[in-house]
Amino acid sequence: MRKHVGSVRVMEEAVTLRYYLFGNRKEGYGVEIIKVTEDGSILDSARQRVTHRIKEASEFARALAHGIVFPGSLEEIVPEWNFASSWTAKSNFF
């Protein structure tokens, strides 16, 4: 499964960041971020599994879009999110 959960236009760089939820029950769910130019060319991407709970992965993907996270930062953010002790901490992450 792969589902688009949001896009953010970054005017300063003339790019769009696209956020996707991917995965399945057996292997878990993750987030993919793709940085594309105006003509659709891929400049950068990152993909990482985060949890076995689809709802939690979906909320994480939406939080990344809200925080305008670039692909190069994903691997640094995932461990911090996974170890947040409560939903309150996660909802205030960005």
Side-chain angles (χ1 to χ4, degrees):
M1 178 269 303
R2 183 173 186 244
K3 179 182 175 186
H4 181 254
V5 295
S7 293
V8 176
R9 178 94 171 108
V10 182
M11 301 301 275
E12 298 84 14
E13 295 190 27
V15 298
T16 299
L17 299 171
R18 296 180 184 160
Y19 301 86
Y20 296 89
L21 173 66
F22 73 90
N24 57 55
R25 287 183 185 183
K26 183 178 179 181
E27 297 174 0
Y29 299 94
V31 175
E32 180 177 26
I33 305 172
I34 302 175
K35 180 179 172 182
V36 298
T37 62
E38 292 177 352
D39 68 0
S41 301
I42 296 174
L43 296 174
D44 193 10
S45 66
R47 180 177 170 108
Q48 193 163 351
R49 290 198 189 276
V50 294
T51 183
H52 280 290
R53 295 183 202 117
I54 191 169
K55 183 177 179 183
E56 188 174 23
S58 180
E59 289 173 356
F60 179 58
R62 285 183 176 82
L64 293 176
H66 178 73
I68 311 176
V69 174
F70 283 74
S73 300
L74 183 60
E75 75 175 35
E76 295 172 23
I77 291 173
V78 169
E80 293 175 20
W81 179 274
N82 282 337
F83 295 115
S85 61
S86 70
W87 282 107
T88 303
K90 289 180 181 181
S91 66
N92 294 320
F93 192 75
F94 294 102

